[in-house]
């Protein structure tokens, strides 16, 4: 192991490390071993009985200045978190598929009344897009989710708006009263 000992006016440093004071008894013992030509115990422990080459530089005319850190690129190996194969979530990718999911929907729409589209992002990562009349109530969104995904019938969940996040607690409000026309609603499990 190659080690560079630099002697400064106010202490010494090893390999551009921190300044070590001459007055500290441990540091004084370290320097005394070097003067006797011995390898200090601290360095013996560092190399586990290997060979040490100790070079010295005399900077006793100068005050210690902390060296700038050099950039050292990461040389380790990376680890991936999670599954090796990503979970595939099927979502309508084309307007035709979106229309098909709307046509198969169990919500009755009155075409003589104003309508809106609501996108529902489910807790399982999938999404549903459904047309509702503006007079439908928030409870109808809940019923639609349960009809579309029966697994959620026994699950306790809440409906939340996106930014700003607001839980839709009064399910008797119409979609217009709740001000959620043409928005995205999030399903969150309790």
């Amino acid at each position: 192991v190659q080690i560079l000992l630099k002697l400064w006016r106010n202490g010494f440093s090893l390999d551009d490390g921190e300044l070590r004071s001459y007055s500290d008894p441990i540091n004084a013992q370290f320097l005394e071993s070097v003067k006797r030509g011995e390898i200090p115990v601290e360095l013996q422990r560092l190399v586990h009985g290997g060979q040490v080459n100790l070079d010295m530089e005399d900077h006793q005319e100068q005050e210690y200045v902390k060296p700038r850190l050099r950039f050292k690129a990461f040389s380790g190996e990376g680890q991936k978190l999670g599954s090796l194969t990503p979970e595939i979530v099927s979502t309508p990718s084309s307007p035709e598929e979106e229309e098909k999911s709307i046509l198969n929907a169990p919500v009755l729409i009155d075409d003589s009344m104003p309508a809106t589209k609501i996108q529902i992002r489910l807790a399982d990562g999938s999404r549903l897009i459904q047309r509702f009349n503006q007079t439908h109530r928030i409870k109808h969104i809940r019923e639609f989710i349960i009809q579309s995904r029966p697994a959620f019938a026994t699950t306790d969940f809440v409906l939340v708006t996106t930014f700003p996040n607001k839980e839709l607690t009064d399910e008797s409000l119409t979609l217009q009263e709740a001000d959620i026309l043409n928005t995205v609603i999030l399903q969150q499990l309790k």
Side-chain angles (χ1 to χ4, degrees), residues 2-18:
Q2 184 77 28
I3 296 177
L4 179 61
L5 171 67
K6 291 183 181 179
L7 301 172
W8 304 94
R9 181 182 305 153
N10 50 343
F12 69 94
S13 63
L14 295 174
D15 288 333
D16 291 329
E18 294 291 320

Side-chain angles (χ1 to χ4, degrees), residues 104-117:
N104 295 336
V107 176
L108 297 173
I109 306 293
D110 183 350
D111 289 326
S112 66
M113 303 283 288
T116 184
K117 264 189 199 175

Side-chain angles (χ1 to χ4, degrees), residues 75-139:
S75 60
E77 67 180 50
Q79 300 292 325
K80 268 188 171 176
L81 297 177
S83 173
L84 292 176
T85 56
E87 182 181 327
I88 297 171
V89 178
S90 64
T91 58
S93 57
S94 66
E96 295 81 27
E97 286 183 49
E98 194 175 300
E99 287 302 316
K100 201 182 333 172
S101 74
I102 290 173
L103 294 174
N104 295 336
V107 176
L108 297 173
I109 306 293
D110 183 350
D111 289 326
S112 66
M113 303 283 288
T116 184
K117 264 189 199 175
I118 303 285
Q119 183 184 128
I120 304 156
R121 295 206 180 144
L122 300 175
D124 65 5
S126 62
R127 70 178 177 153
L128 299 169
I129 299 172
Q130 178 59 45
R131 250 181 84 216
F132 292 92
N133 286 116
Q134 293 180 5
T135 55
H136 274 108
R137 303 198 178 278
I138 295 172
K139 69 179 179 179

